[in-house]
Amino acid sequence: MSTPEQQSPAGGAGPSPDQPQADPAPAGEARREGTDDESEEHDQPQDAWAARRDLVDHSPRSMSFGAQSRFGGGTVGGDQNNVTGNQVSGDVIMGTKTVYQFSIPGFSSPGSASGEVPASTLERLAEHFVADEDVVAALLGRLRRDRVLILSGARFTGRRTAALMLLHRLGVSSVRTLDRDTGPSALAEQVGTTETDEDRCRGYVLCDLATRRDRPLREPHLLAARDRLGEHGYLIITVDPIAVLEDVPFVVAWHPPAAADVLAAHLSTRTDAQTAAKLLELPDVTEFLGRRHQLREVAAFAQQLARYAAGEAGADSVAQFSLVSLESQVQEWFEEDEASIHLRDKAFLVALAAFDGGPYALTAEVSDLLYRLLQETWNRSLVPEVPVFGTHIGKRLQLARAEKFEEDEHTEWGPVPQQKARFLDERVSLVLLREVWLGHPSARPALIAWLRRLADDGRPLVRTRAASTVAVLARTDLPSAMALVIEVWSTSKRFRHRLVAVNALTLAHLIGTPYVPRILDGWCEGDDPRLRWVAVRAYGLIGPERPEQALAALRKAVRRLYEADPDDLDSEMAGELAEAVELLLLSPAGDRVLAELREHLDDDRAVRDLALGGFVNACHRTQDGERYGSPLVLDWYARTAHEDGEPARGIPTLWRAALADPRSTREALRVLSEWVLIAHRVTAVEWALAALLPRLVTTSAEHDRLSHLLRTMPGEDGKPPPEVATRLLAVLPPR
């Protein structure tokens, strides 16, 4: 659980004169945010440990944190101790788009117009049609009885094919599709009444009937159409689950067949049974089916598998098909005109990509902010407007191929249950942000202004997602992301903005963005104190991957700091450097960090202060941040002391140095007192401390110092020393 930084009125740092200007906020927002100078005195840097916890808690799953990671993973005392994550966004997702060209039906195609469906098309669909036969039989029975049927289901679930196949099985002489723009009131006019000897039974299909609150589909519309159909006509309408229907009695929910069954059915008509069975056993096929692809993509995949089996396509094309389908879907979302996908829905897609797996209400909130900024880009002469009501969560998530779920969200008060939303495929967010940034540069001013507003938000989750979004943009286009966003944050007066820059660079490095260490090295050695602050913070997060290099850079920085007048030492930067060492110590690279600190402990005063300051800071940290949780460094020592490795030597060495050094004695004794109070409550901590204390006594001065502490330290609430202090005093070797 993290401690949030002090919150103050939002105030965005503007770009430098040589950088492109993002769209300004509306006038009202500008007035509310124009208080940067007034709130400057209240702006304080968030504690590095708490900031790291926020980053771990709130980063998206595409940058998930766990033991199997590029940075090594692992824990100290059971607490997640480093920014670590799975590199799921490798070159295949974040690099240039895949160039395989597939025929994926249904992408970027206009809505179907009215016309008769050829018999050959119906026969071909019948070969591939898969459905539960009991369900089909029930639907046929209803259709024969009512002659009108409405299939309600999500798009691309096979509902159109089901409608055509139901009519085909009825044995109608012809099937005619109606224009999707046909309104409910005009429905009856579109169905014929004449019958001839050659055309005694006709079927009609209206796919994706458009309804609105002011234009619902009502029972009288269907009854009028049924009267026009006569005794030998049938009508099937497909609608979305959230279509506006009033007193309609002919509605049946349509559920798609399993993707594996559809794929097997398509392969059976394209290859022989033995080949189809082998294809279905391919690992790439298993991976594809696990991605919850739409049925149109499954049908196209079957076509590609058949080409692969015939030697007409390579194995790479099969492996990449899932990603190519995903890229095609994202392109379709943003190439569609406003009649198909409204600008507000596109803003929601971008917001969901940034807040994938986050609270739905928050995602909707920030998407409306982006929508307003996009409207300004679209037409500055109009006042941005956001409808207050009207967009149903189900419709939004259906369009986005996403789902809602319940999960706890980390807050400074503890876990809080939230209704969240996420894409069905975790790769969507990365592909979508890349597509928007590179494929639609006209959206950049609004996107940049949006990200700057998010970076100024008081909620850690929002700021972290701003950073993770910029990390993806940096992986996609590093020069632009640095110039337009990251450097603006890094040179801001506000600590909050600089911390978002730290997180953006850290996450960018996590997902494989090149040159991040080079950027940090340059900033750490440069003259700008704000850039140096960002670099030092980032070293504490990415340093475990290269601890020797990170510590070398921190030593250079602290020496440069001490070159100034000792009476004018920048204590704030000195504290930041010590916190960076603290994070490195409590990381998977802790053993290597300990060895480096011991090796350079006596180099000079600056380096010694850095090492001891970072070590004492680390000794403060406890399991889960609890007041009486097991101290992480002590637990580390207890688990490894018998191995006679680096912790068994390094931890006692640094403790003795911290206790003996006049600059750190007081704080070190305070930490040791805290450990004794914890030992009073936790037996395991008492045993660990009893094992460590004898290693801290090599001289009479060291013995006297510890003996005095244990004899005189106060208990809780000013009480006498706890009994455990007497027991620990007995383990000190005599001097």
Side-chain angles (χ1 to χ4, degrees):
M1 183 172 68
S2 63
T3 303
E5 61 182 299
Q6 295 184 24
Q7 296 182 11
S8 55
S16 58
D18 59 341
Q19 292 171 332
Q21 300 285 327
D23 280 2
E29 297 293 337
R31 285 193 296 270
R32 286 195 294 272
E33 294 186 6
T35 58
D36 188 70
D37 292 337
E38 298 173 6
S39 62
E40 195 68 42
E41 59 182 275
H42 303 293
D43 183 45
Q44 298 293 328
Q46 186 181 18
D47 170 75
W49 184 264
R52 184 201 61 85
R53 172 52 61 193
D54 283 344
L55 183 61
V56 172
D57 285 343
H58 301 309
S59 292
R61 56 181 170 157
S62 57
M63 302 170 190
S64 59
F65 298 93
Q68 302 300 322
S69 72
R70 298 182 67 242
F71 296 150
T75 59
V76 170
D79 191 13
Q80 184 65 40
N81 62 83
N82 182 42
V83 175
T84 57
N86 300 316
Q87 190 181 11
V88 299
S89 54
D91 291 338
V92 71
I93 296 177
M94 297 304 304
T96 56
K97 282 177 64 70
T98 314
V99 296
Y100 297 114
Q101 298 297 321
F102 301 129
S103 174
I104 304 180
F107 285 106
S108 302
S109 58
S112 58
S114 178
E116 186 169 326
V117 180
S120 59
T121 299
L122 295 174
E123 293 296 336
R124 186 175 66 255
L125 290 176
E127 294 177 351
H128 305 146
F129 182 62
V130 176
D132 185 293
E133 288 302 318
D134 292 338
V135 173
V136 171
L139 292 176
L140 288 173
R142 292 195 59 167
L143 192 55
R144 291 189 181 99
R145 183 191 68 200
D146 299 330
R147 301 199 307 280
V148 174
L149 184 67
I150 298 177
L151 292 181
S152 174
R155 297 183 67 191
F156 309 119
T157 57
R159 62 188 186 185
R160 175 181 179 275
T161 299
L164 293 174
M165 289 300 95
L166 288 172
L167 294 174
H168 183 63
R169 290 196 180 186
L170 282 177
V172 297
S173 56
S174 66
V175 176
R176 187 175 186 84
T177 60
L178 304 181
D179 193 320
R180 62 180 297 180
D181 292 331
T182 300
S185 60
L187 188 58
E189 302 173 3
Q190 301 299 314
V191 296
T193 58
T194 61
E195 297 180 9
T196 64
D197 293 339
E198 295 78 20
D199 188 13
R200 295 186 55 82
C201 187
R202 172 173 289 185
Y204 296 88
V205 174
L206 174 54
C207 294
D208 307 328
L209 174 67
T211 61
R212 298 195 307 261
R213 294 184 184 277
D214 61 343
R215 195 179 68 171
L217 178 64
R218 299 189 176 95
E219 183 180 20
H221 298 144
L222 298 175
L223 295 178
R226 187 168 67 171
D227 289 343
R228 295 268 296 176
L229 287 169
E231 297 182 1
H232 303 289
Y234 300 93
L235 169 64
I236 301 179
I237 302 172
T238 68
V239 296
D240 292 336
I242 57 172
V244 184
L245 310 177
E246 291 186 4
D247 301 322
V248 176
F250 309 115
V251 182
V252 176
W254 170 253
H255 301 287
D261 294 338
V262 174
L263 183 61
H266 277 265
L267 289 176
S268 67
T269 63
R270 297 179 181 276
T271 64
D272 59 76
Q274 184 177 4
T275 302
K278 290 182 178 179
L279 291 173
L280 291 172
E281 294 176 354
L282 292 174
D284 288 330
V285 173
T286 303
E287 193 272 342
F288 177 89
L289 293 174
R291 291 289 185 181
R292 301 168 74 173
H293 280 279
Q294 295 174 341
L295 295 186
R296 58 175 178 168
E297 296 161 352
V298 174
F301 188 45
Q303 178 183 352
Q304 191 65 18
L305 285 173
R307 295 184 66 243
Y308 166 69
E312 300 173 2
D316 286 347
S317 67
V318 174
Q320 294 296 318
F321 192 89
S322 177
L323 180 58
V324 173
S325 300
L326 177 60
E327 291 173 339
S328 298
Q329 171 66 89
V330 172
Q331 274 190 318
E332 180 183 84
W333 281 335
F334 291 97
E335 289 179 355
E336 293 271 7
D337 58 27
E338 284 298 292
S340 300
I341 299 182
H342 193 272
L343 183 63
R344 191 184 187 197
D345 294 322
K346 295 178 182 179
F348 177 77
L349 287 167
V350 176
L352 185 57
F355 288 79
D356 183 36
Y360 171 79
L362 175 59
T363 304
E365 172 196 330
V366 298
S367 77
D368 284 343
L369 171 60
L370 177 59
Y371 174 49
R372 291 167 58 189
L373 295 169
L374 288 170
Q375 285 185 88
E376 290 183 341
T377 300
W378 185 275
N379 190 338
R380 289 183 176 273
S381 64
L382 299 178
V383 177
E385 297 180 353
V386 178
V388 178
F389 301 107
T391 303
H392 188 275
I393 180 175
K395 181 178 180 181
R396 278 187 155 179
L397 296 183
Q398 177 187 321
L399 169 67
R401 296 172 68 167
E403 63 184 356
K404 61 181 178 179
F405 63 103
E406 298 287 337
E407 187 180 69
D408 286 345
E409 181 64 35
H410 294 283
T411 71
E412 58 265 36
W413 311 285
V416 175
Q418 293 274 287
Q419 183 181 79
K420 299 186 174 184
R422 64 188 172 201
F423 289 110
L424 298 177
D425 189 330
E426 74 276 5
R427 302 171 300 173
V428 173
S429 59
L430 303 175
V431 173
L432 189 150
L433 292 173
R434 181 192 66 187
E435 172 66 22
V436 171
W437 188 251
L438 296 181
H440 303 274
S442 296
R444 284 190 179 188
L447 187 61
I448 292 168
W450 182 63
L451 290 168
R452 292 179 182 173
R453 296 277 289 280
L454 298 184
D456 217 20
D457 196 279
R459 293 163 288 191
L461 170 59
V462 177
R463 298 195 302 273
T464 301
R465 291 308 181 91
S468 65
T469 301
V470 174
V472 175
L473 303 185
R475 179 63 179 85
T476 300
D477 179 7
L478 181 61
S480 295
M482 288 295 297
L484 299 177
V485 188
I486 295 177
E487 289 179 354
V488 176
W489 286 338
S490 300
T491 55
S492 171
K493 295 180 180 179
R494 304 288 304 278
F495 286 110
R496 176 178 292 177
H497 299 158
R498 280 183 264 163
L499 183 56
V500 179
V502 170
N503 292 343
L505 289 168
T506 299
L507 295 175
H509 182 69
L510 177 70
I511 60 175
T513 304
Y515 309 125
V516 171
R518 182 182 299 180
I519 292 170
L520 298 182
D521 289 344
W523 288 2
C524 200
E525 298 175 8
D527 296 325
D528 191 320
R530 295 173 185 170
L531 294 179
R532 191 159 55 249
W533 188 95
V534 171
V536 168
R537 276 287 178 112
Y539 275 130
L541 297 172
I542 75 168
E545 186 186 48
R546 51 202 293 270
E548 292 81 10
Q549 295 91 329
L551 286 169
L554 295 177
R555 287 194 295 269
K556 287 182 181 179
V558 77
R559 287 185 179 118
R560 179 170 183 173
L561 194 66
Y562 275 61
E563 289 174 358
D565 185 350
D567 296 330
D568 192 31
L569 182 68
D570 186 347
S571 59
E572 181 183 279
M573 180 55 70
E576 290 294 337
L577 288 162
E579 288 186 0
V581 171
E582 169 194 352
L583 293 182
L584 293 174
L585 269 170
L586 298 177
S587 78
D591 288 8
R592 295 164 64 186
V593 175
L594 266 177
E596 278 283 304
L597 295 182
R598 281 208 305 145
E599 180 180 348
H600 296 277
L601 185 60
D602 297 321
D603 283 4
D604 50 58
R605 168 51 60 186
V607 172
R608 186 179 184 85
D609 286 351
L610 174 67
L612 297 182
F615 177 74
V616 174
N617 281 353
C619 290
H620 270 292
R621 301 302 172 184
T622 60
Q623 176 74 31
D624 297 327
E626 298 293 336
R627 180 179 179 184
Y628 295 107
S630 179
L632 299 183
V633 172
L634 181 60
D635 188 55
W636 181 16
Y637 176 79
R639 287 185 290 106
T640 58
H642 67 282
E643 301 172 359
D644 196 33
E646 182 57 43
R649 297 186 300 272
I651 291 175
T653 298
L654 290 176
W655 256 119
R656 290 194 298 269
L659 289 167
D661 194 299
R663 294 174 182 255
S664 57
T665 297
R666 179 178 297 180
E667 189 64 18
L669 288 172
R670 188 169 75 87
V671 174
L672 203 54
S673 298
E674 293 174 355
W675 283 14
V676 174
L677 293 177
I678 296 172
H680 180 62
R681 292 172 173 260
V682 183
T683 302
V685 173
E686 178 182 350
W687 282 100
L689 195 51
L692 173 64
L693 286 177
R695 300 288 302 275
L696 305 187
V697 177
T698 61
T699 67
S700 58
E702 291 170 346
H703 179 277
D704 293 344
R705 185 181 298 113
L706 292 178
S707 174
H708 181 268
L709 170 70
L710 294 172
R711 285 184 288 104
T712 63
M713 66 167 285
E716 294 183 73
D717 298 326
K719 296 179 181 179
E723 293 180 3
V724 69
T726 303
R727 295 194 295 270
L728 291 173
L729 184 61
V731 306
L732 295 180
R735 288 289 171 181

